[in-house]
Amino acid sequence: MKLKHLEYHLSNVSPFEKPKILLEQYVTPPHIAAYMLHHIQFEHGDITDKIVADLGCGTGCLTIGTATLDASMVYGFEIDSDALDIFQENMQQFELTNIEAIRCDILNIPRRFENFFDTVIMNPPFGTKHNAGIDMEFLKIGMLLSKKAIYSLHKSSTRKFVKKFVENLGCKVEIVAELKYNLPSTYKFHKKDSVDIEVDLVRVLI
Amino acid sequence: MKLLTHNMLSSKCLKNVNVGYPLSIKVEEMITSVVDFNPEFIARIIPKLEWNALKQAVNEVGKDSCLPNNLIENFENDEDFLKKVHHVLLEIEIVNGCLVCPETGRSFPINNGIPNMLLNEDEV
């Protein structure tokens, strides 16, 4: 599947209705999601026929993209029931049978899922508001769940920190791409209509 | 929720629970769907399963699985067997109901196909 087709496909995934600041809910824009998934599959072959987890799946943009690229099975983990309601609607609209969703705290994922997945993908909360460090917690959990690779988005400004964090846990890390994340004004405290945030697509190898 | 997912879930994270596995299933609504058969995937997933928990789950949802009591040898090449496992793991879906912790009786609701494993702060 071509990148632009995937992007078009993912533009039909409904986003959050009322994003929650406490959970730092920002939708993954279709072009970022499409680029990320396209890269993961066509550079590394880590989606098709693989068992994949999407941590903090929100309304399911990355999950649905992963299923569309023929993962054997993809699990979306999400804490927020409103997001999961939309996730469920999205899933039905796309008529995919290789998706499962579980409502739980990412920090408390059932232990039998450790080493269950070939690939873990995520667009974690950036950990900038009330939950500093949450992005690193997500990454750490990803490293427990995956047998092979983790793909995650992090603010480029935290690159050094992310690298050191992963290396200290004994894994290899590479920055695969720098992306511009155009965040449309989501919350009332946002003063501009939109703002560009530079993010790294990070690949961690177990 | 597919029975594959049930096989992976436990209530071990609850305070004072030792094993918390397998969770028993109470079905309110269940459907059977059609999922493409991928023998390589099923063969790859079987070693990750707790076989007895799968057998128990199939019984609890009231389906006759024709699964053997023990996992057979050389299952990779037994298409008939893989098809049976495929059906119970991926095609039976619990839409509404709940999962129950075998030790505490704590119930985890399944709504609209999604199990809710979220715990209250005082339960961890």
Side-chain angles (χ1 to χ4, degrees), chain B residues 24-51:
Chain B
S24 69
I25 308 175
K26 294 215 162 68
V27 180
E28 282 165 29
E29 188 188 347
M30 180 168 66
I31 54 167
T32 307
S33 57
V34 178
V35 177
D36 290 341
F37 175 54
N38 176 345
E40 290 81 21
F41 170 57
I42 300 300
R44 213 155 72 80
I45 209 94
I46 285 174
K48 298 175 192 275
L49 299 173
E50 284 289 340
W51 192 253

Side-chain angles (χ1 to χ4, degrees), chain B residues 12-30:
Chain B
K12 197 178 182 317
C13 42
L14 282 171
K15 203 159 51 181
N16 300 326
V17 165
N18 293 321
V19 185
Y21 187 87
L23 301 168
S24 69
I25 308 175
K26 294 215 162 68
V27 180
E28 282 165 29
E29 188 188 347
M30 180 168 66

Side-chain angles (χ1 to χ4, degrees), chain A residues 6 17 32 39 65 78 83 130 143 152 156:
Chain A
L6 186 61
E17 265 168 15
I32 298 269
H39 180 92
E78 172 61 46
H130 312 282
M143 289 156 81
S152 181
S156 301

Side-chain angles (χ1 to χ4, degrees), chain A residues 1-10 34 37-39 41-42 48 64-70 94 96:
Chain A
M1 182 181 269
K2 281 191 176 155
L3 180 57
K4 64 176 182 190
H5 292 150
L6 186 61
E7 182 177 340
Y8 174 73
H9 193 68
L10 293 180
L37 297 172
H38 199 265
H39 180 92
Q41 175 52 30
F42 296 99
T48 303
I64 286 166
T66 302
T68 305
L69 292 175
D70 292 322
F94 283 84
L96 295 157

Side-chain angles (χ1 to χ4, degrees), chain A residues 127-157:
Chain A
T128 45
K129 292 288 167 204
H130 312 282
N131 40 0
I134 188 82
D135 49 341
M136 293 300 108
E137 291 296 327
F138 269 55
L139 210 45
K140 207 157 110 187
I141 301 288
M143 289 156 81
L144 287 176
L145 301 185
S146 173
K147 282 188 303 191
K148 189 181 169 225
I150 298 128
Y151 298 86
S152 181
L153 295 171
H154 296 274
K155 278 189 163 177
S156 301
S157 58

Side-chain angles (χ1 to χ4, degrees), chain A residues 49-51 72-73 75 79 84 87-88 92 97 99-105 108 110 112-113 115-118 147, chain B residues 1-2 4-5 7-9 13 21 34-35 38 41 44-45 48-50 90 93 112 114-119 124:
Chain A
D49 293 330
K50 303 293 179 191
I51 307 170
S72 299
M73 181 60 73
Y75 275 91
I79 197 168
L84 283 172
F87 182 103
Q88 189 67 4
Q92 274 158 10
T97 56
I99 294 184
E100 282 278 89
I102 297 173
R103 184 172 176 212
C104 67
D105 187 340
N108 230 335
R112 271 179 51 73
F113 279 114
N115 293 316
F116 180 77
F117 298 99
D118 301 302
K147 282 188 303 191
Chain B
M1 187 201 72
K2 299 177 192 291
L4 167 61
T5 304
N7 206 270
M8 302 309 295
L9 298 178
C13 42
Y21 187 87
V34 178
V35 177
N38 176 345
F41 170 57
R44 213 155 72 80
I45 209 94
K48 298 175 192 275
L49 299 173
E50 284 289 340
L90 305 180
E93 306 224 23
N112 216 358
I114 301 178
N116 179 359
M117 305 307 292
L118 205 56
L119 303 173
V124 185

